[in-house]
Amino acid sequence: MTLVFVHGMPETPLVWMPLLEHFHSRDIVTPQLPGFGAPLPNGFTATKDEYADWLIRLLEPLAADGPIDLVGLSRVAFVGDPVVLIHRQRCAAGESLYWM
């Protein structure tokens, strides 16, 4: 099962490093949100919907391999909530979502 840690805003994936030391045997993904240490894609205006779409595009190939655990920090929950609604069926099938 893949474990996906999505940093908060205005953090970067570095916020997870002390915690990730404890997950040596897991498949871990720590994406970098556009505009928070990563460049904004062309035409990206950084709206809630665009961040949600970006996260969905990131998660879809990961979820194709099986359930995932999604962990979000802080204000990233405003992006994750639409993702939960869109992926409700997958979540019910075994994905776990955690907001800190």
Side-chain angles (χ1 to χ4, degrees), residues 60-78:
E60 283 179 342
L62 299 173
D65 293 334
I68 62 171
D69 284 333
L70 177 61
V71 181
L73 180 64
S74 184
R75 291 181 279 173
V76 78
F78 88 94

Side-chain angles (χ1 to χ4, degrees), residues 9 16-17 19 21 32 38 43 45 47 49 72 92 96 100:
M9 298 171 182
W16 297 114
M17 292 309 136
L19 178 65
E21 295 173 4
Q32 194 161 13
T45 59
T47 66
D49 290 338
S96 301
M100 302 160 102

Side-chain angles (χ1 to χ4, degrees), residues 11-62:
E11 291 92 9
T12 69
L14 293 175
V15 72
W16 297 114
M17 292 309 136
L19 178 65
L20 297 182
E21 295 173 4
H22 302 282
F23 292 94
H24 296 293
S25 63
R26 306 261 329 236
D27 290 329
I28 297 174
V29 177
T30 56
Q32 194 161 13
L33 294 170
F36 296 92
L40 293 173
N42 288 336
F44 192 88
T45 59
T47 66
K48 176 181 172 180
D49 290 338
E50 283 182 311
Y51 276 110
D53 290 342
W54 179 90
L55 186 55
I56 288 166
R57 284 191 305 275
L58 176 99
L59 295 176
E60 283 179 342
L62 299 173

